[in-house]
Every structure is written in structure tokens, then in C-alpha cells.
Amino acid sequence: MSKDIIIGYYPGCSLEGTAEEYDRSARACCQTLGIQLETIPDWSCCGASPAHCVDHVLSGALSARNLALASKAGMSAVATPCPNCLVNMRTAGRDLEDPETRKRINRLLDTPCEDSVEAISLLQLLVEKVGIEEITSRVTRPLAGLRVACYYGCIMNRPPELMNFDDPENPMAMDRVLEAAGAVAVPFPHKTECCGAAYGVPRKDLVMELSGRILDAAHELKADALVVACPLCQMNLDLRQGQVSAHKGVEYDVPVFYFTQLLGLALGLPDKDLGLNKLAVSPEKFLSKLEREG
Amino acid sequence: MTVLDLTQSFDASFADKVAKESGQDLSLCYQCGNCTAGCPYTFAYDLPVSKVMRALQWGQKDIVLTCKSIWLCATCKTCTTRCPNGIDVARIMDVLRQMSRRQGYAPEKKIKQFQDSFLDSVKKHGRVFELGTMLRFIARSRRLTDLDLGPKTAMKGKLHFRARDICGREEVEKIFARYQEGLDE
């Protein structure tokens, strides 16, 4: 048994609210795979999209507070499940490298951010620190041939110079994790098309159109499920699936899992660790197919 | 045919300011149209992103800062990723939105109201309190929305009725206060 890897963890606000099952399944998968996640003490919100729409220095300061806390706690890197938090932390890290911007960011903070730490996605952590081979060897309950469409969302890998992981047009990390879990990852042309991001509340019409395109594509490819890595994408595709169905006059019935939930299933983790009962679109069809196949 | 006299409205200092704030060389854009072709929001824009770039090069401050597109851009970064000249177009859209906001424009009022409600919640609690953000948005925009989602999230145990403030709540509040002071100077 290899020694546990200790890494900083930044859940982000959604994971305490509408995406609790992402948090729970992420922690459970990491623990099973020998990664010890240590939550940044007293972390605060990164400001998500609204902060960088208002001001880059404000947004940078909100993330810098967390990066400074992580550094103070002796963490060498911070993993976050949410791509929006990730992009904010990475942007802040880059902006802090410029002495003039660093000064402007630090002016807003009680404790200046002197040493920043690197931020990576939870997906990158699993693929690079655990590895596909190791994941494959730990699978006890393969997702026997179930067809999944991996949807990465728009910003997990973009822009490539900043995110520095996987391919910005055709990312494959999640496909490889799901294949290791025994599923068939269908080539999904919409894997990086925006779902409507944070406009669910103020401009629902945009989400209906954009999330509708993704659901259409998954439906046409006869995917048994969509698999996501972003709490906002999940909300738009799962919680709002009924709204999209009503808007488009098409009855969608596609379960939308976090990749950690399906990986957890394949690792044989109990349901209570995966929060499958928290999904809006019932995963029953998927689960019964899994039992039949298995 | 309408003839526009762009020399009348040309504002070089505006283009310079955007270039400086975004750290991008605007002159590198040669209108290949990749950004517009890839932008998932073009269907909703009043000005496609390549035209925003062109108007920017021409120093057309009013056209750029009052268009809806800069508020509808969701920063998905497809434009930045696909620009053959390495221009961070999404960063420019961000900077334009920030300028537009500072100058009091908000052609997409509901988007601004949502962003304000979200940040109010962060400022108050240190983390976003989802229900509080929704209630603030409803109060600001005076329209009820997503009533169908309330019961759904409540039944799944995802709707929290009370905010959980962090210990460093005041530190976060001070980040916002100092930012605001900087604007007033």
C-alpha cells in the first residue's frame, strides 16, 4: 500500500449547498484511493463569476485570501472540485506574480498573500497523483458497458496556457477515469460547450438553449448518463432538466452524475458516501441497468 | 445606406485604457472571426465578439460600453482558446464589463442584479448563502423565479435556511470595503 498523499482541499460554496453529493463523493473517492484531503481552514468564497465581472483585483483578493491560508497551513498544493473556483485561483496565482498587481491585491487583504500555492482540479489530482492504472486496479464493481457522455464544461481546461492540463478542445481525463471504471465513454462533441454558466437565475432562456443542446446531443448518442465535474453544469443539466424539457417540448430523462459518484460506485463505495439520492433526475434506470449487466 | 463617420466618435484613450487594463495588444486582431464562430452566445448578442474587437480598435467607446454582449459573455473562454494571435479576448470582455459597470451602464439589468445579490451574500457571510442570494435577487428584480426548484432542492436536503458564517467573515467584509474605498478616492 502506497503512502497517503496529503493535499489541500478547497470545496467552494456550492459543495456546501446544491452540490453536497459532489463533496461527499469526492472525499470518499480520495480516501479510498489513498489521498488525504485537508480542507483549507476557514476558507472563504472566491467570488465566482460575479467578482471578476466587477473587478480583477477584487476577484484576485478573494482568492488570494484562500491561497495565503493554504500556504500558512503548509499545503503544497490545493485541489478543488469546482472549475470556476479553480479558474479564479489560477488567475489569482498568475496575477500575484506581477509585482504591481500583487501590491493592489494585497492592499485589500488583512494579511498580505506572500506565498501562493498551486491550485489543481480534483480530476487532475486523481489522474496524475493516483493514475489510471491504479484506479483500474481498485475497481471492484465495473460499470459494465454502460454508455456515458463525459461533459467537462467550458473552463476546466481553458485557456490552456493558464490551466495547463489535458486538451482544451477534446479533453480526455474524465473519459479515461470512466473507462477505468468499466464504462463506455462515447465520443461527445459537446464536451466543452458552455451550458449557460451562471445565467440560470437572471437569463433562464440562455440556459434552456445551451443546456438543451447538450441534453439533445447526449440523447442522440443514446448515452445512459451524462457525467460532469462542475456544480453549475450539474445544476443546469439535472435540476433544470424539467425546465428545459418544458421549454423545448422534449421529454428528457438523462441522469446527470458527478464523475466522483460513478467512480465511487465502481470502487464499491456505499450509497451513503455518494449521495445518489440527491440527484433531481432519478438514477434508478442507470442503477438497475448496472445491476442487470453486473 | 447609412454612412457612419467614425472619426467623430473615435476615442484613442479608451482603446489604450482597455489595452492597459487587460494587458492585451488590441492591434493584433485581424478579424478572422474565430472568436465569433466559437462563441456559444452569439445567438443572443447584439454585437458579435469580433465586432466588439473591431469597434474597440476604432475607439468606439459608446458602442462598446453600452452593448449587451459584454454583459452576456459568460467567460467560457472559447474565444481566448481559439484566437490565432493569442489575444485573451475573454479578459478583454471582462474589462469592458467592469468599465461599463463603473460608468453606470447595465443593459442586462437582471444579470447585474444577480451579480450584486451574489456578492452581497459573500460580503455578509464570507461564503455564498444560496437561499439568501435568491431572496435578495427576487427583492431587487421584483420578480419571482425558480419557484419550481425550491421544493425540489428542499426535498433533497440541499436547501439551507440559515447561513453559516465563517470566522473570517469580517476579513472578507473588509476586502469589499477597501475595494469600495479605492473606487471613491
Side-chain angles (χ1 to χ4, degrees):
Chain A
M1 179 88 183
S2 60
K3 210 169 145 240
D4 275 10
I5 301 164
I6 303 172
I7 191 132
Y9 181 60
Y10 180 78
C13 303
S14 294
L15 277 83
E16 288 196 325
T18 45
E20 278 180 1
E21 65 271 38
Y22 194 10
D23 186 52
R24 204 184 292 178
S25 55
R27 288 178 192 268
C29 284
C30 284
Q31 196 181 12
T32 304
L33 294 170
I35 293 180
Q36 210 178 307
L37 296 176
E38 278 190 13
T39 310
I40 300 179
D42 208 43
W43 58 272
S44 47
C45 176
C46 69
S49 296
H52 68 69
C53 287
V54 169
D55 194 276
H56 284 136
V57 174
L58 173 67
S59 174
L62 289 170
S63 279
R65 177 178 182 272
N66 296 311
L67 293 171
L69 285 172
S71 165
K72 199 176 146 206
M75 295 162 177
S76 57
V78 173
T80 175
C82 172
N84 203 344
C85 300
L86 177 67
V87 99
N88 278 343
M89 289 175 109
R90 287 226 146 202
T91 306
R94 183 189 62 187
D95 289 353
L96 282 164
E97 283 170 20
D98 173 56
E100 183 51 36
T101 315
R102 175 187 285 257
K103 224 189 283 168
R104 291 174 66 200
I105 287 176
N106 279 342
R107 256 207 304 259
L108 302 186
L109 296 171
D110 269 12
T111 318
C113 181
E114 299 302 346
D115 298 298
S116 174
V117 301
E118 191 199 2
I120 61 168
S121 70
L122 186 85
L123 180 63
Q124 183 176 5
L125 177 73
L126 292 182
V127 171
E128 290 184 353
K129 302 280 189 234
V130 180
I132 297 297
E133 261 179 53
E134 172 73 9
I135 293 176
T136 311
S137 74
R138 303 290 283 272
V139 167
T140 57
R141 193 189 181 203
L143 306 175
L146 282 162
R147 290 168 64 82
V148 296
C150 293
Y151 174 64
Y152 294 72
C154 46
I155 49 172
M156 174 79 96
N157 311 95
R158 294 174 162 184
E161 307 77 41
L162 180 70
M163 305 312 273
N164 206 15
F165 169 61
D166 212 349
D167 189 287
E169 296 289 0
N170 186 25
M172 286 302 288
M174 207 196 307
D175 292 61
R176 279 159 55 217
V177 169
L178 268 295
E179 277 167 357
V184 174
V186 300
F188 192 48
H190 285 57
K191 46 170 74 163
T192 60
E193 291 291 320
C194 182
C195 68
Y199 294 149
V201 178
R203 280 294 303 264
K204 203 166 274 81
D205 56 318
L206 299 178
V207 175
M208 300 298 111
E209 175 63 27
L210 297 176
S211 286
R213 290 179 193 172
I214 294 159
L215 289 166
D216 275 341
H219 181 73
E220 274 169 34
L221 287 163
K222 297 189 172 50
D224 294 306
L226 266 164
V227 196
V228 301
C230 168
L232 271 185
C233 300
Q234 206 278 345
M235 186 194 244
N236 283 337
L237 295 166
D238 177 48
L239 192 60
R240 294 191 185 280
Q241 198 172 120
Q243 294 177 343
V244 181
S245 291
H247 176 83
K248 298 193 62 153
V250 181
E251 203 50 52
Y252 298 104
D253 185 20
V254 190
V256 186
F257 296 95
Y258 288 104
F259 78 97
T260 44
Q261 289 181 300
L262 289 190
L263 175 61
L265 266 181
L267 293 172
L269 296 175
D271 285 2
K272 68 169 176 49
D273 286 351
L274 304 175
L276 297 173
N277 58 340
K278 291 194 176 278
L279 301 176
V281 175
S282 168
E284 278 312 314
K285 213 169 56 176
F286 184 92
L287 298 176
S288 62
K289 211 168 172 180
L290 178 62
E291 271 154 26
R292 253 198 338 268
E293 306 279 331
Chain B
M1 198 172 84
T2 321
V3 178
L4 284 176
D5 184 356
L6 295 171
T7 51
Q8 292 294 316
S9 47
F10 179 76
D11 183 344
S13 67
F14 169 62
D16 287 347
K17 199 156 185 280
V18 175
K20 189 168 177 285
E21 278 195 34
S22 65
Q24 304 301 307
D25 182 350
L26 306 179
S27 68
L28 289 176
C29 173
Y30 53 57
Q31 291 288 296
C32 72
N34 254 350
C35 49
T36 297
C39 175
Y41 292 86
T42 299
F43 78 98
Y45 278 5
D46 52 357
L47 203 61
V49 58
S50 49
K51 287 197 179 172
V52 171
M53 289 298 294
R54 197 65 170 136
L56 195 49
Q57 288 174 330
W58 285 345
Q60 301 300 306
K61 184 177 167 182
D62 288 346
I63 293 177
V64 172
L65 290 191
T66 58
C67 74
K68 292 183 179 203
S69 308
I70 56 173
W71 284 83
L72 292 171
C73 160
T75 330
C76 79
K77 306 193 181 190
T78 310
C79 49
T80 298
T81 303
R82 295 185 185 168
C83 175
N85 277 350
I87 305 174
D88 191 344
V89 185
R91 182 97 171 171
I92 293 175
M93 294 293 270
D94 237 0
V95 165
L96 294 175
R97 184 165 33 219
Q98 294 165 6
M99 286 181 167
S100 163
R101 187 180 247 280
R102 285 201 296 267
Q103 297 189 24
Y105 302 115
E108 285 290 330
K109 219 189 213 163
K110 281 180 285 176
I111 291 179
K112 181 177 182 292
Q113 286 165 338
F114 183 76
Q115 290 169 350
D116 290 343
S117 307
F118 185 98
L119 292 175
D120 280 351
S121 187
V122 181
K123 182 179 172 184
K124 191 167 172 204
H125 307 292
R127 288 180 198 165
V128 168
F129 170 43
E130 289 172 329
L131 181 63
T133 302
M134 277 304 285
L135 294 176
R136 271 165 192 269
F137 175 72
I138 288 170
R140 262 203 180 98
S141 63
R142 299 212 180 102
R143 62 191 270 283
L144 290 169
T145 183
D146 285 327
L147 291 181
D148 53 328
L149 300 186
K152 268 191 193 169
T153 39
M155 259 162 43
K156 300 285 175 191
K158 289 176 166 187
L159 193 64
H160 299 289
F161 293 96
R162 214 179 286 163
R164 286 166 287 188
D165 294 359
I166 63 164
C167 300
R169 192 188 61 79
E170 283 175 11
E171 264 176 65
V172 176
E173 203 175 343
K174 275 193 265 172
I175 292 177
F176 283 92
R178 290 184 190 121
Y179 165 68
Q180 197 59 45
E181 277 164 26
L183 285 184
D184 298 340
E185 271 167 17

